[in-house]
Amino acid sequence: MKAAIFSARRYDQALFNKSNVQFGHELLFIGDRLTPDTARLAVGCPAVCVFVNDQVDAEVLALLAGQGTRLIATRSTGFNHIDTAAAAALNIAVVRVVDYSPHSVAEFAVGLLLALNRKIARASTRTREGNFELDGLMGFDLYGKTVGIIGTGKIGNVFAKIMQGFGCTLLGHDAYLNRTFEQLGGRYVGMDELAALSHVISLHCPLTPDTHHIVGRQLLAHLRRGAILINTSRGGLVDTEAAIEFLKTGQLGGLAIDVYEQEASLFFQDLSSTIITDDVIQRLVSFPNVLVTGHQAFLTEEAIGQIVQTTLESITAFEQGQPLVNRIPSSA
Ligand code: NAI
């Protein structure tokens, strides 16, 4: 089947081409994001493969449907970037990658926590300049501290298990209770209690209308003073401007983000030679106690290999009229 792969990076092309030997699809790699302007590049492609910052709203879906697209395959677990109701109305099926290494994201979240708390990025920058001073590099032991996890699903539970290994007390908040989390010694509490008790909070829930700005002024005001917040889930979970206010007062002691509310116009591109007009991200990166990475938590060989394999399997299943095991329920 002919499939247009939007937002395709070099590593995507290499891995898709390698795995596709077994599937034989006709793959059209497009480096650009999917937008109303680029949708026409997928003319004649029944399958369109997208990533997290592609615009898959009603307008773009209507354009794609008009060109013959019948399947959207997102190379992600989250699908908040897709208007699934509009897809259903246009009879476009939507599939995602439900299961790929939760370790990739959970391990990265732990990496961000360690780098932020122990000032590893800062120390590395210093030593490159011949500065071996220790002032300003003080962190705290994670052993014995309380870690609050919002969203105790696949990634949240792997993160919980790693933090249990560090000797942390685990608190959780989720719309559904998960036995695995409780077996790890985790205790479910309300959001305010989690905020008040946790030295570290890590976000692992999806972005939905219910979770949009789940970390906003109200929650930030309840934080244990100096708590660290890690977000490897979706930018829209955090009210970034409110987080900046609480960083300034010291109520929020540190922030590490791999995702950002306005990331679509920034991430996955080299903007080092341009003037970045997003003042919020510029303000954030100016804080010594903020770490920003560009949505790379998923970027391990194992995770990408599984994403590519599952995506190609879904396209084959669709082509052959087989059940779509990774279909998003509300889509056609
Ligand atoms: P999952 O579906 O296994 O777990 C999500 C958990 O969030 C579930 O336990 C669910 O009940 C809970 N949840 C839903 N609504 C909630 C609410 N209102 N309050 C609290 N908890 C709520 O998903 P998984 O695989 O663990 O992925 C979690 C998220 O991680 C994804 O939705 C995605 O946004 C993000 N992600 C980020 C990546 C990155 O590269 N930075 C890569 C992969 C996923």
Side-chain angles (χ1 to χ4, degrees), residues 52-53 80 207 213 231-241 243-244 255-268 271 276-285 290-296:
V52 290
N53 289 327
N80 51 285
L207 177 62
H213 284 187
N231 186 8
T232 54
S233 199
R234 283 294 178 269
L237 298 176
V238 177
D239 178 343
T240 318
E241 298 199 19
I244 289 174
L255 174 69
I257 55 171
D258 184 51
V259 286
Y260 167 58
E261 276 183 289
Q262 308 302 333
E263 70 178 53
S265 58
L266 297 170
F267 285 9
F268 309 133
L271 301 176
I276 292 175
T277 54
D278 182 328
D279 293 341
V280 175
I281 196 87
Q282 292 296 73
R283 184 75 183 99
L284 270 184
V285 295
V290 171
L291 267 187
V292 179
T293 52
H295 208 137
Q296 70 175 83

Side-chain angles (χ1 to χ4, degrees), residues 100 105 153-155 174 176 204 206 211 232-234 258 295 298:
Y100 70 85
V105 182
K154 290 184 287 296
I155 297 170
D174 199 302
Y176 303 94
H204 299 289
T211 60
T232 54
S233 199
R234 283 294 178 269
D258 184 51
H295 208 137
F298 68 98

Side-chain angles (χ1 to χ4, degrees), residues 41-53:
L41 298 173
V43 168
C45 294
V48 165
C49 180
V50 299
F51 197 44
V52 290
N53 289 327

Side-chain angles (χ1 to χ4, degrees), residues 51-52 75-80 96-102 104-105 108 149-157 173-178 188 191 203-208 210-212 214 231-235 237 258-259 263 268 295-299 307:
F51 197 44
V52 290
R75 308 194 289 286
S76 58
T77 301
F79 54 89
N80 51 285
R96 62 175 174 148
V97 184
V98 179
D99 268 316
Y100 70 85
S101 173
S104 62
V105 182
F108 192 81
I149 301 170
I150 301 179
T152 54
K154 290 184 287 296
I155 297 170
N157 268 325
H173 181 79
D174 199 302
Y176 303 94
L177 306 191
N178 186 321
Y188 283 105
M191 285 286 279
L203 305 180
H204 299 289
C205 60
L207 177 62
T208 65
D210 283 347
T211 60
H212 179 253
I214 196 167
N231 186 8
T232 54
S233 199
R234 283 294 178 269
L237 298 176
D258 184 51
V259 286
E263 70 178 53
F268 309 133
H295 208 137
Q296 70 175 83
F298 68 98
L299 199 59
I307 288 170

Side-chain angles (χ1 to χ4, degrees), residues 61-210:
L61 285 163
L63 290 170
L64 292 174
Q67 298 172 176
T69 295
R70 290 175 290 119
L71 176 72
I72 298 288
T74 183
R75 308 194 289 286
S76 58
T77 301
F79 54 89
N80 51 285
H81 53 300
I82 303 175
D83 186 337
T84 53
L90 292 160
N91 205 29
I92 294 178
V94 183
V95 290
R96 62 175 174 148
V97 184
V98 179
D99 268 316
Y100 70 85
S101 173
H103 305 278
S104 62
V105 182
E107 289 173 10
F108 192 81
V110 176
L112 284 178
L113 169 58
L114 290 172
L116 181 65
N117 173 31
R118 304 303 300 272
K119 282 81 173 167
I120 293 172
R122 214 174 165 197
S124 171
T125 310
R126 279 190 190 181
T127 56
R128 277 171 192 271
E129 290 172 0
N131 177 356
F132 298 94
E133 213 178 36
L134 297 183
D135 279 344
L137 300 182
M138 183 86 75
F140 58 80
D141 283 6
L142 287 169
Y143 176 79
K145 297 296 188 299
T146 299
V147 174
I149 301 170
I150 301 179
T152 54
K154 290 184 287 296
I155 297 170
N157 268 325
V158 174
F159 180 82
K161 194 170 179 191
I162 300 171
M163 297 321 296
Q164 184 210 38
F166 273 81
C168 296
T169 299
L170 302 176
L171 298 180
H173 181 79
D174 199 302
Y176 303 94
L177 306 191
N178 186 321
R179 283 283 294 141
T180 310
F181 180 69
E182 293 179 319
Q183 281 161 0
L184 287 169
R187 180 168 70 89
Y188 283 105
V189 292
M191 285 286 279
D192 288 351
E193 189 177 349
L194 182 141
L197 296 179
S198 301
H199 298 87
V200 173
I201 297 178
S202 194
L203 305 180
H204 299 289
C205 60
L207 177 62
T208 65
D210 283 347

